[in-house]
Amino acid sequence: MPVDIDKINAQIEEKSSIIEPLLSEASKAVIGQRYMLERMLIAILCDGHILLEGVPGLAKTTAVTALSQAIKADFRRIQFTPDLLPADLTGTQIYRQSDGQFYTRKGPVFANIILADEINRAPAKVQSALLEAMQEKQVTIGDETYQLPQPFLVLATQNPIEQEGTYPLPEAQLDRFMLKISVGYPTKEQERQILDLKTNPKAAEAINSVISPDSIFQLREVISQIYIDQKVKDYIVEVVHTTRHPSVINADLASLINFGSSPRATIALALAARAQAFLKGRGYVTPQDVKTIGMDVLRHRIIVSYEAEAQEITSEDVVKMIFDNVEVP
């Protein structure tokens, strides 16, 4: 059945008009982090989770809070610490002496948007509890399993420079994050604006709710109709396949990778490329959309070798090499 690109384009152009007001509202509290806000929005539109990595003070927490306010979603912040227990996250059963029955007290994970602040400070048991919530969209308390509210998204932050008292995220949990964003410092001009905003309480503007969670489902339905040509699909598969078999395109690259990306990366790359096209107001995906979002999808899904570490080559460097070597359709 032929695809009517013009019809899809018209629909995308109409629905994507909400993106700019949404980002504008979030930008009232966050200056100079447009890239981070766009990536967070892509994760929300794709029903994926996102990991924000950056040094303290770069507005990671503020950005998540602002975006949740603009979406009018139920938001909870959970500060991860070494003494956190799974029950502090998911909830627990409490004995009621008056009638001799147990009743369930649900934890903060029962919300639409969860900010897992400094996620790598939580021990393995807590991370496992969060893993079930992220993957299955449900939690188990006692003998009962409870579905989480929809939409459900985990936006986690971690500090890359301070490793004392932290528990590195296992590869299985990292793979559950659709995107991993490296948050950088603002420019000098942006920092000057931040100074004006934060030192003058009257300058702060209230963030208005632009869309509701129900609107998120409608946008997801529209994004699912964005056209991906067979050649672009082949390109996505080729990129991910190359992370596992790099010697096919470059013999030197093979010595730099221990483990490549799973099929989950292929799915995430296609979904994120669609959302990227939506942000640009297009009804079709181009190879450039794949390249634009590819780093954030793949950087945490490639494990480099000891040889790469010895040469100070990171997974980001490897992803760049792969995109430079895979033929673009």
Side-chain angles (χ1 to χ4, degrees):
M1 183 177 177
V3 179
D4 190 343
I5 297 295
D6 291 335
K7 183 179 178 181
I8 297 174
N9 269 333
Q11 189 177 17
I12 296 300
E13 186 176 351
E14 177 189 355
K15 295 295 184 181
S16 63
S17 61
I18 192 63
I19 297 302
E20 202 55 45
L22 184 58
L23 293 175
S24 295
E25 286 300 319
S27 296
K28 290 179 180 179
V30 183
I31 294 174
Q33 295 290 5
R34 171 89 180 198
Y35 180 90
M36 176 173 62
L37 290 172
E38 286 186 351
R39 293 303 184 267
M40 287 166 55
L41 189 54
I42 285 175
I44 290 171
L45 293 173
C46 294
D47 194 18
H49 310 290
I50 185 169
L51 179 62
L52 306 174
E53 185 176 80
V55 299
L58 296 183
K60 300 184 295 296
T61 302
T62 303
V64 176
T65 306
L67 195 59
S68 66
Q69 290 174 343
I71 295 176
K72 199 180 181 179
D74 189 11
F75 168 73
R76 294 287 185 278
R77 173 181 174 177
I78 306 172
Q79 186 66 47
F80 280 57
T81 56
D83 61 346
L84 197 69
L85 298 175
D88 298 327
L89 181 72
T90 61
T92 187
Q93 288 187 320
I94 297 176
Y95 179 72
R96 186 160 46 200
Q97 192 171 7
S98 60
D99 57 8
Q101 299 293 322
F102 284 92
Y103 73 97
T104 300
R105 175 177 290 175
K106 294 181 179 180
V109 77
F110 285 87
N112 296 122
I113 298 178
I114 300 296
L115 170 57
D117 216 356
E118 295 194 273
I119 189 174
N120 56 332
R121 292 197 178 280
K125 285 185 177 181
V126 178
Q127 293 182 6
S128 296
L130 185 63
L131 181 62
E132 180 189 9
M134 291 171 61
Q135 184 62 26
E136 308 297 336
K137 306 296 176 68
Q138 65 183 29
V139 296
T140 302
I141 305 173
D143 297 330
E144 296 290 330
T145 298
Y146 299 89
Q147 297 298 316
L148 293 168
Q150 296 298 321
F152 174 75
L153 302 155
V154 174
L155 294 96
T157 69
Q158 70 176 11
N159 178 355
I161 60 173
E162 187 180 357
Q163 300 305 319
E164 185 177 351
T166 62
Y167 302 81
L169 296 180
E171 301 303 328
Q173 187 162 347
L174 277 175
D175 199 35
R176 262 66 175 188
F177 285 101
M178 183 180 206
L179 305 173
K180 180 182 177 183
I181 309 302
S182 181
V183 184
Y185 288 107
T187 64
K188 187 189 300 184
E189 291 75 17
Q190 290 167 347
E191 194 155 355
R192 183 66 173 80
Q193 294 176 42
I194 294 171
L195 179 62
D196 289 338
L197 178 65
K198 298 302 181 182
T199 57
N200 182 7
K202 295 181 179 179
E205 297 182 65
I207 297 174
N208 301 311
S209 297
V210 178
I211 60 174
S212 65
D214 288 339
S215 301
I216 295 294
F217 294 121
Q218 295 173 15
L219 293 178
R220 287 177 181 175
E221 181 63 29
V222 171
I223 290 173
S224 68
Q225 300 174 33
I226 292 178
Y227 177 68
I228 304 183
D229 190 79
Q230 297 300 321
K231 291 183 179 179
V232 177
K233 290 181 179 179
D234 292 340
Y235 177 58
I236 291 172
V237 171
E238 185 65 27
V239 167
V240 178
H241 189 265
T242 301
T243 67
R244 303 172 209 148
H245 305 283
S247 58
V248 174
I249 61 167
N250 190 322
D252 295 332
L253 195 57
S255 63
L256 303 178
I257 302 175
N258 265 355
F259 297 97
S261 303
S262 71
R264 191 180 279 119
T266 309
I267 299 169
L269 192 52
L271 293 175
R274 270 180 166 160
Q276 174 66 23
F278 179 77
L279 260 59
K280 299 300 180 183
R282 276 188 280 101
Y284 57 92
V285 174
T286 67
Q288 186 57 47
D289 292 325
V290 178
K291 296 182 76 172
T292 299
I293 200 69
M295 178 64 74
D296 300 320
V297 173
L298 297 175
R299 61 155 53 94
H300 57 298
R301 291 185 162 100
I302 294 176
I303 302 176
V304 297
S305 65
Y306 289 116
E307 183 176 336
E309 291 179 355
Q311 299 178 46
E312 298 184 346
I313 295 175
T314 66
S315 61
E316 295 182 359
D317 297 324
V318 171
V319 173
K320 290 176 183 176
M321 293 178 194
I322 290 172
F323 276 111
D324 288 342
N325 284 273
V326 174
E327 185 178 354
V328 180

